Amino acid sequence: MRKQKQLSMFFVAFILTITTVFSGFSTEAEAAEGQLGIDAEAAMLIDADTGRVLYEKNSDVVLGVASMAKMMTEYMVLEAVKEGKLKWDQKVKINEYVHKLSAAPGLSNVGLTQGEDYTVKELYEAMAIHSGNAATVALAEVLSGTEKNHVEKMNKKAAELGLKDYKFVNSSGLNNSDLLGQHPAGNPDEENVMSARSLAKLAFHLLNDYPEVLDTASMPSLKFRDGREYKNFNWMLPGLIYQYEGVDGLKTGSTDFAGYGFTATAMRNDQRVISVVMKADSKDSRFSETRKILDFAFSNFTEEELVKKNHQIKGKKTLPVTKGKEDSVKIQSKDAITMTIRNGEKDQYEPVLVLDKKKLNKNGELTAPIKKGEQVGYMTVKSKKDENISFLTEEGQKQVQVPVVAAESVEKANWFVLMMRGIGGFFGDLFGGVADTVKGWF
């Protein structure tokens, strides 16, 4: 009876322990997403250099993006300029449709006069600074002939950049119902949609492929040829109502369907981050929620050197070598590994060696000759707590992978040495077999 009671108590204690452990895991997971209390449908924070994900909330939910979609047209303009397909001083004549759209009430625009020439640079600044919708359509037409063609290219470019959750139906981000009956794709009342992850990835590529995007995005206002001054809708820029130290881009957006969104970037102490807020309740809240995310970034994360240059992993400092003058070779990391991590957690990461199997024979040996500096694999890092280290792109992942190389050369042994080793090996095996047989007799 006593034994049965002890078993029952042990079973209850076991169940309580398991429940506590798993409830702890659940709370930790919920805290990871809800710790900031972001009042928006979706949000994301990434390191701008590597694309490492630092925070996310509903990051794969597909939502309206409104004018944040203009970042794709910005990317395509900058790409065309770089490739020589478009010039900043190139003239664009404004047609009747673009003129009428620029005068449509309730839309963000700079006035564009029908039949008048504007430079690509003027239209680009109107789009990037004041979110000019008609200016965006004019750029789409000069880039692709028609806005319909441009939308097809936007979707194609999104696939090239590795975006997964998206659909572009126009160049500006407006609801198709606002395009004066001339929507280029989709249903008459459809809008562009993306996930926070895809928006962050688009911003990541825009910043890293064309960092000059910030020259325009950081301008708090635009003085246009009509004599008017148009404010940037990014009110977190210096001198504006929600100014935040370090913010110098990127794009806001709002429609009834999308709510209020903001893809921001900021830099402090050589550390740049990108944040995304989608479907906030108001113009003000998209900035207050972004402030929470940026405060979290700059207060909790720093870039740390996790692996030094020429690092050798304990127990894996050498590789065996066959047919060489030496039977092993020292290996080490070619470069240091740095990564943005939470403050005080440097000791929570450890190096990992990944060998190039193509370099090894079936016995796991390198074959001489081996040159100093020859790559034999790569080194990366992992969390000691087995936490997932997530990156937006494969390129970002590779930034925390450094080559592992031979620290010295190993020459190939001459034929006589190889022959004697072969003979020695043969007799060694022979005598070993005899010894085993003799042992079996006793």
Side-chain angles (χ1 to χ4, degrees):
M1 186 73 178
R2 180 181 296 177
K3 187 175 182 180
Q4 185 177 2
K5 186 176 181 181
Q6 288 176 336
L7 287 172
S8 298
M9 291 176 67
F10 174 79
F11 181 74
V12 170
F14 176 77
I15 293 297
L16 286 172
T17 301
I18 292 296
T19 304
T20 302
V21 168
F22 279 95
S23 65
F25 285 161
S26 176
T27 302
E28 188 173 77
E30 290 171 4
E33 182 176 296
Q35 60 186 308
L36 300 185
I38 298 300
D39 188 16
E41 188 69 24
M44 199 161 201
L45 171 69
I46 65 168
D47 171 58
D49 292 330
T50 64
R52 186 188 174 190
V53 178
L54 306 178
Y55 169 81
E56 56 188 311
K57 174 186 176 181
N58 296 335
S59 57
D60 294 309
V61 175
V62 179
L63 300 167
V65 292
S67 284
M68 291 186 289
K70 289 183 173 76
M71 288 192 294
M72 180 60 82
T73 297
E74 290 180 32
Y75 187 98
M76 296 171 74
V77 168
L78 294 169
E79 181 180 53
V81 170
K82 181 180 179 180
E83 294 176 353
K85 298 176 181 178
L86 202 64
K87 295 182 178 180
W88 288 119
D89 60 357
Q90 185 173 327
K91 299 294 177 56
V92 181
K93 192 175 293 294
I94 301 303
N95 59 36
E96 182 182 7
Y97 168 60
V98 172
H99 161 67
K100 287 183 176 180
L101 185 63
S102 77
L107 305 181
S108 58
N109 271 312
V110 297
L112 301 175
T113 304
Q114 183 177 349
E116 191 166 330
D117 289 334
Y118 294 79
T119 65
V120 167
K121 184 176 182 181
E122 285 179 303
L123 295 173
Y124 178 85
E125 289 178 343
M127 171 181 68
I129 299 171
H130 193 63
S131 201
N133 291 293
T136 306
V137 174
L139 287 169
E141 291 177 348
V142 75
L143 277 169
S144 308
T146 66
E147 187 180 11
K148 181 178 181 179
N149 290 342
H150 185 69
V151 170
E152 291 177 2
K153 290 182 178 180
M154 290 173 76
N155 285 294
K156 183 178 179 181
K157 180 58 66 176
E160 290 176 5
L161 296 177
L163 277 60
K164 290 185 177 179
D165 305 307
Y166 65 88
K167 183 180 181 182
F168 294 103
V169 295
N170 60 57
S171 63
S172 62
L174 290 171
N175 189 289
N176 275 346
S177 63
D178 291 320
L179 296 177
L180 309 181
Q182 296 197 42
H183 65 276
N187 298 322
D189 60 350
E190 199 169 351
E191 290 189 23
N192 298 326
V193 294
M194 298 174 74
S195 65
R197 188 180 304 279
S198 288
L199 263 176
K201 187 177 286 191
L202 174 57
F204 173 80
H205 283 294
L206 182 57
L207 276 174
N208 284 277
D209 296 348
Y210 304 103
E212 63 269 28
V213 67
L214 297 178
D215 295 341
T216 305
S218 61
M219 296 171 62
S221 64
L222 168 67
K223 292 182 179 179
F224 205 60
R225 66 161 68 179
D226 59 8
R228 295 180 58 190
E229 185 172 356
Y230 298 88
K231 295 294 184 183
N232 196 318
F233 285 106
N234 176 3
W235 293 351
M236 297 187 81
L237 290 172
L240 301 185
I241 186 171
Y242 288 107
Q243 65 177 356
Y244 185 94
E245 181 188 349
V247 168
D248 50 7
L250 271 166
K251 195 72 195 70
T252 60
S254 64
T255 63
D256 291 340
F257 171 71
Y260 295 88
F262 182 30
T263 299
T265 184
M267 186 172 186
R268 287 185 184 177
N269 300 320
D270 295 325
Q271 179 184 2
R272 179 173 289 282
V273 296
I274 296 169
S275 67
V276 175
V277 168
M278 299 183 74
K279 207 163 188 177
D281 293 334
S282 67
K283 288 182 180 179
D284 294 333
S285 66
R286 67 181 169 190
F287 298 122
S288 62
E289 301 312 293
T290 295
R291 177 179 290 274
K292 288 181 187 177
I293 296 174
L294 295 180
D295 283 345
F296 172 71
F298 293 122
S299 298
N300 290 276
F301 294 91
T302 51
E303 187 176 67
E304 295 278 2
E305 183 178 81
L306 301 180
V307 176
K308 293 183 179 296
K309 182 179 179 179
N310 300 330
H311 180 75
Q312 294 180 303
I313 296 179
K314 187 177 181 180
K316 299 178 181 179
K317 295 181 178 182
T318 63
L319 278 178
V321 175
T322 184
K323 297 183 180 180
K325 288 186 176 182
E326 288 81 29
D327 59 6
S328 66
V329 62
K330 293 179 182 178
I331 59 172
Q332 60 191 25
S333 62
K334 183 179 179 181
D335 304 300
I337 297 178
T338 61
M339 187 170 72
T340 297
I341 63 172
R342 273 184 178 268
N343 297 337
E345 293 192 356
K346 186 176 180 178
D347 61 350
Q348 296 301 312
Y349 295 88
E350 61 184 0
V352 178
L353 174 64
V354 181
L355 295 173
D356 184 351
K357 293 182 180 179
K358 295 178 181 179
K359 292 272 188 177
L360 307 176
N361 63 20
K362 63 181 181 180
N363 297 319
E365 300 169 315
L366 294 171
T367 301
I370 301 165
K371 293 182 179 179
K372 181 178 180 180
E374 181 179 336
Q375 185 170 349
V376 297
Y378 68 86
M379 197 177 293
T380 186
V381 293
K382 72 172 185 178
S383 166
K384 291 180 181 179
K385 297 185 289 185
D386 290 327
E387 292 180 350
N388 183 39
I389 304 174
S390 177
F391 293 84
L392 283 182
T393 67
E394 289 184 10
E395 294 83 355
Q397 177 78 54
K398 289 178 181 177
Q399 287 192 46
V400 292
Q401 296 176 0
V402 297
V404 169
V405 299
E408 55 197 356
S409 295
V410 177
E411 296 181 12
K412 185 175 181 180
N414 61 42
W415 67 270
F416 181 75
V417 172
L418 293 176
M419 181 181 70
M420 293 306 294
R421 285 181 184 171
I423 293 172
F426 169 76
F427 282 109
D429 292 340
L430 178 62
F431 289 131
V434 172
D436 290 339
T437 302
V438 171
K439 284 180 183 178
W441 293 347
F442 297 96

